[in-house]
Amino acid sequence: MCGIVGYVGEERAAPILLEGLQRLEYRGYDSAGIAVLREGQLAVVRRKGRVKGLGAARSLEGEIGVGHTRWATHGAPSERNAHPHVYGGVCIVHNGIIENAAALRAACEARGEVFSSDTDSEVIAHLIAAEKGDLLHATYSACRKLAGSYAVAVLSAAEPDTIVCARRASPLVVGCDERGLYVASDIPAVAAAGRKVYALADGEFAVLRKGSPPRFFDGALKAVGKQEIVYDAAEDIPAKGGFRHYMKKEISEVPEAVSRSLCDLSKGEFSDLCEVLCHTQYLHIVACGTAYHSGLCLQYAAQKFARIPAEAFIASEYRYSDPIVPPGTLAVAVSQSGETADTLAAAALAKERGAKVLAVTNVPCSSLERMSDFVLPTRAGREIAVAATKSFNAQLAALYSLAGALARGRERAAPPLAAAASCVREALAAAEQVRGWIPYFLGARSVFFLGRGADYFAALEGSLKLKEISYLPSEGYPAGELKHGTLALVDGRTPVVAIVTDPALADKTMNAVHEVYARGAAVFLITSVPACLPCAEVTASVLLPKCAPAYSPMLTSLPLQLLAYYVAIARGNDPDKPRNLAKSVTVE
Ligand code: F6R
């Protein structure tokens, strides 16, 4: 999704900006640009497509500039709509969505101003250019007119040694070292040995002026002090390590991701959280996409093992659902990136209504971590491929650990999690068999994934993975629900993947297998119940090691991830950078 970088200091800005943009590339974008200011002149280079298309910008002279990678929301992906946008000597890069852009633009146009893009963002440059006072005050006044979300970095020909930054509901961090001052939309783009990094809080502003330390201001423009963020400067984009794609590499890292993310919550560092768990009456789990699916798995495990009422919510729905948050609610916000706008907003709403917030995230110092009362880290390591894989399994390891701690707090027991985790490597090896299934999926019209109980959540995740990287329509469905309408879609061109890991429910799910087979579907089985095999109605199967059924998505997700991966590459798609998608969804 959109990324911001900015620099002012002693060095040439262009190479620093381009390097920062490269570090943001993995997030997904469709155009890029930089602007450099020199002797009162703004030089802007923008391109549709990749950052490497900005090569011509490397030679720009000037020690101050801003750069951007854009993921289109308002206006097509094109050079015209790429940032930076310039109006009246003011240059901006913007992440977020300006919800009242149409009305603001109409007012500017009524004054005779001409727009040069179709974006919602350009209006910010117009508003700032129309304000009086220095760049900080002009930016402040302009921001007060904006509805929606923004992280913005602003240059002005009138103040050639200053970048002004502002944020609301979209992350922004500032860095400084002896070479100069930096701004970026996330820590990896500014991380460097010896560089101090500070995060802007919601509603704050920052002024980066050459030769001075960064200054920060609250929403009333009162100067505020800032704590430095402690981060891992060594963390950089990992190499592919001999793999063709990051996605395959990241799937191969699942066993380590799981074992590192198992967590003993009785240990000292979690004592405050444990105290809260003992008094927790309800769980509200908020998350999006894959993280929502791991949230469903927590809902299931917490109810089953701790007998605590738990509900997983899609964060974008929760935030507008006027939720009832009873006393004693713990809100568990699950997010790989810790920057997903909807998850942040849902967690903030739960907090506002009295819940304690527990962040379950893979990125230390992320916005989610900073706004939460407690943190349960997932330790999957940096995930680069847009499709979440190892982070899902790591979330499950952490969330099942949480379910176990909740159960113990109620003098109940959960099945041993370590035993399930120890099967992950064996499951990964078995999962490779799905490669032989590919020919059945290439010409499919759509694909169904079926399961019951925890297998249903795995089915949802398998379907999402297939959709996002193979672009095949698919649905994850509760096995028992198919016959209530959707069975009408099943025919010889709809392969069905059935997931069966709970011996108590196996016969029930196998009934659905009989039903879809009878309608001509080729059936593929992912199971840990040997009694389901052999079955004449099953075209091919993967037999996984047995584990407690509630924990099985930690294993069944592996053949599902690999199936999506192999189908995607067989269809000629780049599984690391699926069309239209971004790694970190920082807009609503
Ligand atoms: C799917 C995927 C997305 C993310 C979702 C939430 O493979 O990656 O569905 O899971 O955008 O992202 P995070 O976990 O960063 O909040």
Side-chain angles (χ1 to χ4, degrees):
M1 192 141 280
C2 301
I4 287 177
V5 292
Y7 170 77
V8 55
E10 305 297 332
E11 317 257 329
R12 282 184 51 234
I16 295 173
L17 297 173
L18 290 173
E19 192 203 323
L21 290 183
Q22 269 156 8
R23 290 181 183 216
L24 291 170
E25 280 201 285
Y26 75 97
R27 293 161 58 119
Y29 65 100
D30 41 51
S31 59
I34 69 168
V36 175
L37 182 59
R38 185 172 185 239
E39 293 171 358
Q41 295 297 315
L42 276 162
V44 181
V45 180
R46 306 182 297 182
R47 294 285 179 271
K48 182 175 175 196
R50 301 279 155 212
V51 171
K52 64 175 188 263
L54 296 176
R58 187 165 288 277
S59 58
L60 291 177
E61 296 291 340
E63 287 85 41
I64 178 168
V66 291
H68 193 260
T69 48
R70 174 174 186 258
W71 184 81
T73 57
H74 291 56
S78 64
E79 188 166 320
R80 164 188 163 81
N81 289 330
H83 299 213
H85 293 291
V86 180
Y87 183 79
V90 172
C91 169
I92 63 103
V93 286
H94 164 235
N95 287 359
I97 294 180
I98 305 304
E99 289 167 359
N100 57 344
L104 293 170
R105 182 176 176 135
C108 294
E109 284 173 338
R111 293 198 295 262
E113 295 177 14
V114 176
F115 280 71
S116 52
S117 78
D118 314 312
T119 64
D120 56 328
S121 308
E122 189 187 344
V123 75
I124 304 173
H126 285 248
L127 293 182
I128 297 172
E131 293 292 342
K132 306 243 173 335
D134 64 14
L135 188 57
L136 173 63
H137 285 86
T139 304
Y140 174 76
S141 305
C143 286
R144 288 171 65 99
K145 297 181 179 146
L146 303 176
S149 59
Y150 53 80
V152 64
V154 190
L155 292 181
S156 166
E159 279 185 49
D161 59 355
T162 304
I163 300 175
V164 170
C165 316
R167 74 155 279 195
R168 186 201 291 159
S170 211
L172 209 53
V173 291
V174 162
C176 65
D177 61 17
E178 69 288 347
R179 293 163 71 206
L181 301 154
Y182 309 77
V183 58
S185 47
D186 67 12
I187 293 171
V190 286
R195 194 173 291 168
K196 293 179 175 164
V197 172
Y198 307 89
L200 266 73
D202 225 30
E204 286 187 339
F205 296 81
V207 173
L208 315 186
R209 183 160 297 145
K210 185 174 174 176
S212 314
R215 289 181 299 141
F216 300 96
F217 301 88
D218 67 11
L221 277 199
K222 197 162 122 311
V224 289
K226 280 260 156 230
Q227 285 277 341
E228 228 183 282
I229 289 179
V230 182
Y231 66 97
D232 182 0
E235 192 179 282
D236 209 343
I237 306 281
K240 280 192 193 150
F243 287 88
R244 189 169 152 205
H245 298 105
Y246 279 111
M247 184 174 174
K248 185 75 194 298
K249 173 174 184 272
E250 287 162 2
I251 295 171
S252 80
E253 291 167 353
V254 165
E256 293 78 24
V258 164
S259 60
R260 282 198 304 261
S261 302
L262 294 173
C263 180
D264 182 352
L265 282 110
S266 63
K267 288 270 171 62
E269 59 175 313
F270 295 109
S271 56
D272 290 350
L273 171 60
C274 262
E275 183 64 30
V276 167
L277 294 184
C278 290
H279 302 107
T280 295
Q281 308 288 328
Y282 304 94
L283 286 187
H284 279 193
I285 305 152
V286 291
C288 302
T290 289
Y292 167 68
H293 297 154
S294 63
L296 287 168
C297 295
L298 171 63
Q299 169 193 297
Y300 188 82
Q303 289 193 164
K304 198 168 178 66
F305 304 140
R307 304 305 295 160
I308 183 166
E311 192 169 353
F313 298 89
I314 292 174
S316 55
E317 289 295 318
Y318 186 84
R319 63 186 290 190
Y320 297 115
S321 67
D322 194 9
I324 297 168
V325 182
T329 298
L330 178 68
V332 183
V334 189
S335 172
Q336 187 284 129
S337 63
E339 302 295 350
T340 301
D342 286 318
T343 306
L344 288 167
L349 178 63
K351 192 172 193 169
E352 195 183 299
R353 298 199 171 185
K356 291 279 182 211
V357 175
L358 169 63
V360 180
T361 177
N362 201 38
V363 180
C365 308
S366 59
S367 301
L368 183 62
E369 202 174 291
R370 293 198 299 271
M371 62 81 65
S372 297
D373 299 295
F374 306 102
V375 178
L376 178 57
T378 56
R379 297 193 168 96
R382 190 89 180 267
E383 192 173 67
I384 302 297
V386 164
T389 53
K390 63 176 178 173
S391 65
F392 174 70
N393 304 71
Q395 281 163 0
L396 293 181
L399 294 174
Y400 292 144
S401 304
L402 176 67
L406 281 161
R408 280 190 297 281
R410 279 161 185 71
E411 291 174 4
R412 293 174 174 274
L417 180 54
S422 69
C423 299
V424 171
R425 196 169 293 282
E426 187 186 336
L428 182 59
E432 280 293 341
Q433 293 168 58
V434 297
R435 210 172 178 154
W437 301 6
I438 307 311
Y440 297 91
F441 289 75
L442 289 183
R445 193 159 47 90
S446 66
V447 180
F448 280 97
F449 292 83
L450 304 180
R452 282 173 188 263
D455 293 335
Y456 166 50
F457 309 136
L460 290 175
E461 177 57 8
S463 167
L464 177 63
K465 219 81 315 174
L466 188 74
K467 276 185 273 227
E468 68 177 318
I469 61 168
S470 79
Y471 318 146
L472 277 174
S474 87
E475 265 190 85
Y477 231 73
E481 184 66 10
L482 202 62
K483 57 187 172 296
H484 295 291
T486 312
L487 190 58
L489 295 177
V490 172
D491 63 15
R493 288 179 58 211
T494 45
V496 172
V497 179
I499 306 157
V500 184
T501 62
D502 188 342
L505 300 174
D507 286 348
K508 306 282 177 201
T509 306
M510 290 310 281
N511 283 341
V513 166
H514 305 317
E515 286 158 15
V516 295
Y517 178 78
R519 271 86 190 167
V523 180
F524 300 83
L525 193 60
I526 294 172
T527 187
S528 54
V529 184
C532 294
L533 298 170
C535 170
E537 296 176 355
V538 170
T539 301
S541 60
V542 171
L543 183 62
L544 295 174
K546 280 200 191 83
C547 75
Y551 299 150
S552 65
M554 220 156 53
L555 310 186
T556 52
S557 53
L558 290 162
L560 296 169
Q561 291 166 355
L562 283 171
L563 178 65
Y565 172 77
Y566 287 126
V567 174
I569 51 177
R571 284 169 61 93
N573 303 343
D574 178 351
D576 286 346
K577 293 197 177 85
R579 67 185 184 199
N580 306 340
L581 300 179
K583 183 71 184 158
S584 185
V585 185
T586 49
V587 294
E588 254 196 275

